[in-house]
Amino acid sequence: MRIGELAARAGTTTRTLRYYESRGLLPARRGGNGYRTYDEGDLKLLRQIRTLQDFGFDLEETRPFVECLRAGHPEGDSCPASLAVYRRKLDELDALIGELQAVRVKIGLRLAMAEGEPPPLCELGGQEL
């Protein structure tokens, strides 16, 4: 298929595909007429990239998944490098969740104080937080 068809089937733009090609994520094959040519495997690569980006992975973080697919694995997340990226992303998310929970507690306390409620007591010593 040509670049326009691939872009349409993947739900992206030809510009994006050219960018992925320049970054080495999408193969740069040309037919005898000089046009870029793609196949179903390229569509699978693009879907993997798009799914990961929807999950918050940056483009470079998708590279191990793409390489895993290119190596012939049926899924891009079955290789050790892909699993390592998943682990790093989960660690990042856990850290962000912890930060957000701490901010939520502070905002909750500020709201309670602004509404005139007494500050909550610490469970251990009966002291204000």
Side-chain angles (χ1 to χ4, degrees), residues 3 14-30 36 38 59-60 63 70:
I3 194 167
T14 58
R15 183 177 179 180
T16 298
L17 299 184
R18 286 185 198 102
Y19 179 69
Y20 291 170
E21 183 181 304
S22 74
R23 300 290 307 265
L25 293 170
L26 192 61
R29 293 184 304 271
R30 300 225 179 229
R36 290 173 171 87
Y38 303 96
L59 192 57
E60 194 56 36
R63 187 173 301 280
R70 281 190 186 155

Side-chain angles (χ1 to χ4, degrees), residues 34-127:
Y35 293 120
R36 290 173 171 87
T37 60
Y38 303 96
D39 59 25
E40 293 297 319
D42 299 321
L43 181 59
K44 188 171 184 173
L45 290 175
L46 286 172
R47 287 183 174 151
Q48 179 81 71
I49 292 168
R50 298 285 307 238
T51 297
L52 292 169
Q53 287 189 306
D54 288 347
F55 291 159
F57 289 70
D58 66 38
L59 192 57
E60 194 56 36
E61 288 174 317
T62 69
R63 187 173 301 280
F65 299 87
V66 169
E67 291 171 357
C68 189
L69 286 170
R70 281 190 186 155
H73 296 275
E75 300 297 326
D77 57 4
S78 60
C79 295
S82 303
L83 298 174
V85 173
Y86 274 154
R87 286 185 192 99
R88 278 195 306 271
K89 185 56 79 175
L90 284 175
D91 288 344
E92 287 176 23
L93 291 171
D94 288 341
L96 288 171
I97 289 168
E99 291 172 20
L100 289 172
Q101 287 173 331
V103 169
R104 188 184 191 295
V105 166
K106 290 176 186 176
I107 291 172
L109 289 172
R110 298 288 294 229
L111 175 62
M113 290 171 40
E115 291 177 335
E117 295 178 22
L121 298 177
C122 174
E123 293 177 11
L124 297 176
Q127 302 169 345

